[in-house]
Amino acid sequence: LKVSNCPLSDHHPLYRCEDIEIWQVTKKLDKNITHASLHRGIDTYVQPVDWGEHLTNIDINCLVPYNDTLINVTISINQSIRSDLIGSILWPSSIISSRYILANSYDQMKSLISIPDRYNTNSSHIAVELGAGCGLTGLILWLSGYEVIVTDKSSCLSCLQTNISNMKSYIYTNHFELYRVLKGITVIDYDWSSNEKSSLDLKQEIHNIIQSKYNHYNDSTVESFVIDMIVCSDCCYSILSMPSLLNSLHNL
């Protein structure tokens, strides 16, 4: 994969904001997907064994930090080959986002993002993914120690829930020492372009979930409740959906 950052001057006025980055991700001609582009001196990678929109299942090898060492983990992603379910296809930006998160989790002192303390059961770093699709980025956040909420519209939930469930079973069976220190990962139905559930309703639902799991949130209100990270990876097919997405980001 080749990653390039689009200059702010090239942005559509809708995106011309100092706290929004747009990355363009394209396939290299040799399709050789190897080390993470953002690794910090450690051989970190998120590497598909095979990859393509014609595949119904893609195995992805990655190295997950645990106890000052690295654990080899295989994430099995089911995807749809139906042309009308583009939200259930593994897109290149999900791999880049996953590499970015893992690269930061290796070196907490130099990290550009807030890294959770996975051993502190009274602490929670909350990450929400909008338009989670197949769930790869959300799973990487979970493996990095976050309490994760992954969301997508109803047509994508079957694939998403299958991948989440399969991964939890895999980690429990093959890496129980890691599983026992991980937080939770929850799937929620949410379509920011629909009027069925507002972004404020979504925040209330997330708040209720977190409040039920962590005692230190008992006295919090939805207004004071803070989500540590919101992630989106290639989640818009049409520019027409961007205003609704930005509204959701603002309210969350």
Side-chain angles (χ1 to χ4, degrees):
L1 300 179
K2 178 182 179 182
V3 185
S4 56
N5 194 312
C6 301
L8 287 176
S9 58
D10 293 342
H11 289 191
H12 184 281
L14 185 63
Y15 313 113
R16 199 164 293 154
C17 178
E18 63 180 11
D19 59 352
I20 292 179
E21 283 192 5
I22 298 179
W23 294 358
Q24 180 179 4
V25 182
T26 55
K27 292 182 181 179
K28 289 182 178 179
L29 292 179
D30 59 5
K31 299 182 181 179
N32 181 24
I33 304 170
T34 53
H35 301 332
S37 57
L38 291 169
H39 74 295
R40 288 173 169 73
I42 297 179
D43 193 19
T44 161
Y45 69 97
V46 176
Q47 181 175 354
V49 176
D50 196 2
W51 185 32
E53 296 174 15
H54 62 289
L55 299 172
T56 57
N57 182 268
I58 300 173
D59 285 338
I60 298 171
N61 296 325
C62 61
L63 293 172
V64 176
Y66 173 75
N67 272 356
D68 298 323
T69 187
L70 299 174
I71 296 177
N72 284 292
V73 171
T74 299
I75 301 177
S76 185
I77 294 293
N78 290 304
Q79 68 170 2
S80 173
I81 58 174
R82 287 173 49 185
S83 60
D84 60 329
L85 288 178
I86 58 172
S88 294
I89 295 174
L90 184 64
W91 296 103
S93 58
S94 294
I95 298 174
I96 293 297
S97 298
S98 298
R99 289 176 176 175
Y100 176 78
I101 293 163
L102 273 185
N104 277 273
S105 69
Y106 287 121
D107 193 344
Q108 299 187 24
M109 297 301 293
K110 299 178 181 178
S111 178
L112 303 179
I113 59 179
S114 181
I115 300 300
D117 179 2
R118 61 170 56 147
Y119 304 103
N120 186 350
T121 57
N122 294 318
S123 173
S124 60
H125 278 60
I126 302 160
V128 175
E129 183 174 15
L130 301 178
C134 295
L136 174 62
T137 307
L139 285 168
I140 290 293
L141 285 164
W142 177 62
L143 291 170
S144 298
Y146 286 87
E147 178 73 39
V148 182
I149 306 292
V150 289
T151 75
D152 213 321
K153 55 188 179 182
S154 57
S155 61
C156 297
L157 291 188
S158 176
C159 180
L160 177 58
Q161 288 173 328
T162 296
N163 290 333
I164 298 297
S165 178
N166 288 346
M167 191 60 196
K168 290 172 74 173
S169 296
Y170 166 84
I171 294 296
Y172 182 87
T173 302
N174 297 280
H175 303 287
F176 183 74
E177 73 284 1
L178 174 62
Y179 182 88
R180 63 186 177 84
V181 298
L182 294 177
K183 304 296 194 299
I185 180 167
T186 306
V187 179
I188 294 181
D189 182 356
Y190 177 65
D191 181 354
W192 61 79
S193 62
S194 169
N195 294 323
E196 293 183 10
K197 180 191 293 183
S198 72
S199 51
L200 294 176
D201 291 336
L202 173 63
K203 188 173 183 179
Q204 179 68 66
E205 188 173 352
I206 295 170
H207 177 253
N208 293 343
I209 292 171
I210 300 302
Q211 199 173 48
S212 68
K213 299 183 70 171
Y214 298 96
N215 293 333
H216 59 281
Y217 283 102
N218 285 346
D219 297 327
S220 70
T221 63
V222 69
E223 290 79 15
S224 63
F225 174 61
V226 176
I227 297 169
D228 296 283
M229 185 189 303
I230 302 173
V231 178
C232 305
S233 296
D234 213 352
C235 59
C236 283
Y237 182 75
S238 169
I239 194 173
L240 297 178
S241 66
M242 284 304 302
S244 298
L245 173 59
L246 293 177
N247 182 63
S248 294
L249 291 172
H250 172 76
N251 289 333
L252 291 174

